[in-house]
Amino acid sequence: MPELPEVEIYRRYVEKHALRQRIERVRVPDRRILRGVTAPALDRALRGRRLVSTRRHGKHLFVQVERSEWLYLHFGMTGDLHYYSDGETPRFSKVILDFTRNRHLAFEDARLFGAVSLVHEPEEFIARKRLGADPLDETFKPALFRDALRARRGAIKAVLMSQLVVAGLGNLYVDETLYQTSIHPLRPIAKLTDAEIASLHRTIKRVLNVVIERNESNRDLPRSFLTTHRAEGESCPKCGAPILRAVIAGRTTYYCDAHQR
Ligand SMILES: [Zn+2]
């Protein structure tokens, strides 16, 4: 399931391939992917225009259309982007932008948990969804994170999953962050020290940056990452204790009971 790092890779993919080309038309092979916009309205908003810039906030991707609204892409569980020239239309294409010179950008989604829409202003969207800060944005400062976290109640894993304090973390990288900071997923926010909160802030950024870099260069994640040991019978790469599995915050959680406290 795409989390922030995967959506950041998609953002770079759009930047690399799909900007500054005139859109000849928009095809919608499956309109169930559309949210709050009809296929003709989407075509009208994009036809004859160019994509000019991108913005990501958490797992949400916005692509600015010249003299128009922003194209909004949400990848759900199985969303994917495919830029191609001529040839075969990707199998699970839900929306296809046809550019001049027979180039195409397809938004694919086999399971339809994603969404394609138009938004007036990303800021307005972010405020309406009450999304927390994007952890790779320069506004994500230690004090901002600490205050936002201290304003919430409950267990750390559930709060980090909620998107209200930090936007973009999902099950996998919340587990990774807690593992790397030696904090138990069920620890109440009220029991975190300021030093632990500072460590969480640093670690969130570090984990996401490592995942983005490794994804981009097609390398595996480090063996010191919990993410590479998410299976029963695995041992903790830090202390050798068995990795445990439990359902926490409604999600399958892996952690080390020996060093995460
Ligand atoms: Zn351990």
Side-chain angles (χ1 to χ4, degrees):
M1 183 181 296
E3 298 185 28
L4 186 153
E6 293 76 26
V7 179
E8 174 60 19
I9 300 290
Y10 288 127
R11 189 191 68 76
R12 294 178 188 186
Y13 186 82
V14 171
E15 287 267 336
K16 183 175 177 195
H17 297 292
L19 297 189
R20 295 175 294 277
Q21 306 174 59
R22 187 175 301 281
I23 299 163
E24 290 197 322
R25 63 170 179 160
V26 180
R27 285 179 287 149
V28 183
D30 187 344
R31 54 191 63 197
R32 288 177 299 169
I33 199 70
L34 300 179
R35 295 282 181 283
V37 66
T38 63
L42 185 66
D43 182 62
R44 269 198 309 278
L46 271 66
R47 185 189 283 253
R49 299 188 164 97
R50 297 174 172 85
L51 306 177
V52 289
S53 70
T54 60
R55 174 164 178 197
R56 183 192 51 70
H57 189 97
K59 306 174 200 175
H60 306 272
L61 182 59
F62 307 90
V63 186
Q64 190 174 24
V65 183
E66 65 178 350
R67 294 175 286 107
S68 188
E69 298 179 85
W70 295 67
L71 178 65
Y72 168 77
L73 303 176
H74 187 65
F75 293 86
M77 287 180 73
T78 54
D80 199 1
L81 286 176
H82 194 160
Y83 181 76
Y84 61 104
S85 56
D86 283 338
E88 211 169 307
T89 304
R91 182 174 168 206
F92 296 112
S93 296
K94 305 300 176 193
V95 172
I96 304 164
L97 310 190
D98 291 332
F99 300 108
T100 51
R101 298 184 298 123
N102 292 313
R103 306 292 163 96
H104 316 272
L105 181 69
F107 181 85
E108 299 165 82
D109 193 354
R111 297 190 58 189
L112 279 168
F113 287 103
V116 174
S117 187
L118 290 173
V119 306
H120 290 290
E121 236 350 286
E123 283 306 333
E124 195 185 303
F125 177 96
I126 292 162
R128 183 160 40 82
K129 295 265 183 190
R130 294 168 53 223
L131 296 174
D134 182 274
L136 298 187
D137 194 274
E138 57 185 24
T139 58
F140 184 64
K141 297 278 197 256
L144 178 132
F145 175 66
R146 186 194 60 220
D147 293 350
L149 204 55
R150 290 267 185 236
R152 319 241 34 123
R153 293 284 168 272
I156 183 65
K157 171 150 184 175
V159 171
L160 290 179
M161 294 282 293
S162 75
Q163 309 296 303
L164 298 171
V165 173
V166 180
L169 295 178
N171 196 40
L172 215 53
Y173 304 130
V174 166
D175 281 3
E176 188 63 57
T177 298
L178 295 175
Y179 175 82
Q180 297 291 342
T181 47
S182 301
I183 294 169
H184 194 287
L186 284 174
R187 180 100 73 88
I189 301 292
K191 295 274 174 65
L192 291 169
T193 66
D194 281 351
E196 284 174 326
I197 293 178
S199 171
L200 278 172
H201 175 266
R202 279 193 306 275
T203 305
I204 288 169
K205 291 163 78 88
R206 182 172 61 82
V207 163
L208 295 173
N209 281 317
V210 167
V211 176
I212 290 167
E213 279 163 29
R214 297 283 172 126
N215 278 3
E216 265 215 316
S217 53
N218 270 319
R219 286 180 299 154
D220 292 335
L221 289 175
R223 294 295 293 164
S224 60
F225 268 40
L226 173 69
T227 306
T228 60
H229 301 271
R230 290 176 73 88
E232 288 201 281
E234 288 272 352
S235 325
C236 170
K238 282 189 198 293
C239 74
I243 293 294
L244 301 186
R245 186 177 73 171
V247 175
I248 296 176
R251 300 297 299 276
T252 301
T253 302
Y254 289 89
Y255 63 104
C256 171
D257 203 35
H259 86 266
Q260 285 178 259
R261 295 305 176 96

PDB file of all heavy atoms in Angstrom, residues 179 236 238-241 256 258-260, ligand 1:
ATOM      1  N   TYR A 179      10.081   1.145  16.009  1.00  0.00           N
ATOM      2  CA  TYR A 179      11.152   0.164  16.190  1.00  0.00           C
ATOM      3  C   TYR A 179      12.512   0.860  16.320  1.00  0.00           C
ATOM      4  O   TYR A 179      13.292   0.592  17.235  1.00  0.00           O
ATOM      5  CB  TYR A 179      11.158  -0.807  15.007  1.00  0.00           C
ATOM      6  CG  TYR A 179      12.298  -1.785  15.026  1.00  0.00           C
ATOM      7  CD1 TYR A 179      12.237  -2.935  15.803  1.00  0.00           C
ATOM      8  CD2 TYR A 179      13.447  -1.549  14.275  1.00  0.00           C
ATOM      9  CE1 TYR A 179      13.293  -3.828  15.832  1.00  0.00           C
ATOM     10  CE2 TYR A 179      14.503  -2.435  14.299  1.00  0.00           C
ATOM     11  CZ  TYR A 179      14.424  -3.577  15.079  1.00  0.00           C
ATOM     12  OH  TYR A 179      15.487  -4.446  15.112  1.00  0.00           O
ATOM     13  N   CYS A 236      15.037 -10.035  16.036  1.00  0.00           N
ATOM     14  CA  CYS A 236      15.295  -8.601  16.008  1.00  0.00           C
ATOM     15  C   CYS A 236      16.745  -8.345  15.601  1.00  0.00           C
ATOM     16  O   CYS A 236      17.665  -8.861  16.232  1.00  0.00           O
ATOM     17  CB  CYS A 236      15.027  -8.028  17.396  1.00  0.00           C
ATOM     18  SG  CYS A 236      15.569  -6.331  17.581  1.00  0.00           S
ATOM     19  N   LYS A 238      18.431  -5.790  16.079  1.00  0.00           N
ATOM     20  CA  LYS A 238      19.129  -4.997  17.098  1.00  0.00           C
ATOM     21  C   LYS A 238      19.541  -5.843  18.298  1.00  0.00           C
ATOM     22  O   LYS A 238      20.641  -5.679  18.820  1.00  0.00           O
ATOM     23  CB  LYS A 238      18.228  -3.862  17.618  1.00  0.00           C
ATOM     24  CG  LYS A 238      18.121  -2.661  16.699  1.00  0.00           C
ATOM     25  CD  LYS A 238      17.371  -1.524  17.437  1.00  0.00           C
ATOM     26  CE  LYS A 238      16.851  -0.488  16.467  1.00  0.00           C
ATOM     27  NZ  LYS A 238      17.923   0.268  15.801  1.00  0.00           N
ATOM     28  N   CYS A 239      18.637  -6.723  18.770  1.00  0.00           N
ATOM     29  CA  CYS A 239      18.920  -7.419  20.037  1.00  0.00           C
ATOM     30  C   CYS A 239      18.743  -8.932  19.965  1.00  0.00           C
ATOM     31  O   CYS A 239      19.013  -9.626  20.940  1.00  0.00           O
ATOM     32  CB  CYS A 239      18.070  -6.821  21.162  1.00  0.00           C
ATOM     33  SG  CYS A 239      16.336  -7.292  21.084  1.00  0.00           S
ATOM     34  N   GLY A 240      18.285  -9.472  18.847  1.00  0.00           N
ATOM     35  CA  GLY A 240      18.184 -10.923  18.702  1.00  0.00           C
ATOM     36  C   GLY A 240      16.921 -11.545  19.253  1.00  0.00           C
ATOM     37  O   GLY A 240      16.662 -12.729  19.032  1.00  0.00           O
ATOM     38  N   ALA A 241      16.101 -10.778  19.975  1.00  0.00           N
ATOM     39  CA  ALA A 241      14.845 -11.320  20.519  1.00  0.00           C
ATOM     40  C   ALA A 241      13.873 -11.605  19.369  1.00  0.00           C
ATOM     41  O   ALA A 241      14.018 -11.051  18.283  1.00  0.00           O
ATOM     42  CB  ALA A 241      14.236 -10.311  21.496  1.00  0.00           C
ATOM     43  N   CYS A 256       9.477  -5.438  18.572  1.00  0.00           N
ATOM     44  CA  CYS A 256      10.346  -6.235  19.439  1.00  0.00           C
ATOM     45  C   CYS A 256      10.030  -5.855  20.879  1.00  0.00           C
ATOM     46  O   CYS A 256      10.283  -4.724  21.289  1.00  0.00           O
ATOM     47  CB  CYS A 256      11.810  -5.946  19.115  1.00  0.00           C
ATOM     48  SG  CYS A 256      12.931  -6.715  20.332  1.00  0.00           S
ATOM     49  N   ALA A 258      11.430  -6.869  23.454  1.00  0.00           N
ATOM     50  CA  ALA A 258      12.616  -6.796  24.319  1.00  0.00           C
ATOM     51  C   ALA A 258      13.203  -5.389  24.377  1.00  0.00           C
ATOM     52  O   ALA A 258      13.578  -4.924  25.449  1.00  0.00           O
ATOM     53  CB  ALA A 258      13.667  -7.798  23.827  1.00  0.00           C
ATOM     54  N   HIS A 259      13.298  -4.702  23.252  1.00  0.00           N
ATOM     55  CA  HIS A 259      13.913  -3.366  23.322  1.00  0.00           C
ATOM     56  C   HIS A 259      12.948  -2.214  23.058  1.00  0.00           C
ATOM     57  O   HIS A 259      13.319  -1.061  23.261  1.00  0.00           O
ATOM     58  CB  HIS A 259      15.161  -3.288  22.422  1.00  0.00           C
ATOM     59  CG  HIS A 259      14.861  -2.941  20.986  1.00  0.00           C
ATOM     60  ND1 HIS A 259      14.691  -3.896  20.004  1.00  0.00           N
ATOM     61  CD2 HIS A 259      14.670  -1.757  20.372  1.00  0.00           C
ATOM     62  CE1 HIS A 259      14.417  -3.300  18.855  1.00  0.00           C
ATOM     63  NE2 HIS A 259      14.396  -2.006  19.054  1.00  0.00           N
ATOM     64  N   GLN A 260      11.716  -2.497  22.653  1.00  0.00           N
ATOM     65  CA  GLN A 260      10.744  -1.401  22.495  1.00  0.00           C
ATOM     66  C   GLN A 260       9.904  -1.298  23.770  1.00  0.00           C
ATOM     67  O   GLN A 260       9.201  -2.243  24.115  1.00  0.00           O
ATOM     68  CB  GLN A 260       9.837  -1.650  21.279  1.00  0.00           C
ATOM     69  CG  GLN A 260      10.521  -1.394  19.956  1.00  0.00           C
ATOM     70  CD  GLN A 260       9.641  -1.685  18.747  1.00  0.00           C
ATOM     71  OE1 GLN A 260       9.760  -2.713  18.104  1.00  0.00           O
ATOM     72  NE2 GLN A 260       8.726  -0.770  18.454  1.00  0.00           N
TER      73      GLN A 260
HETATM   74 ZN    ZN B   1      15.001  -5.919  19.781  1.00  0.00          ZN
END
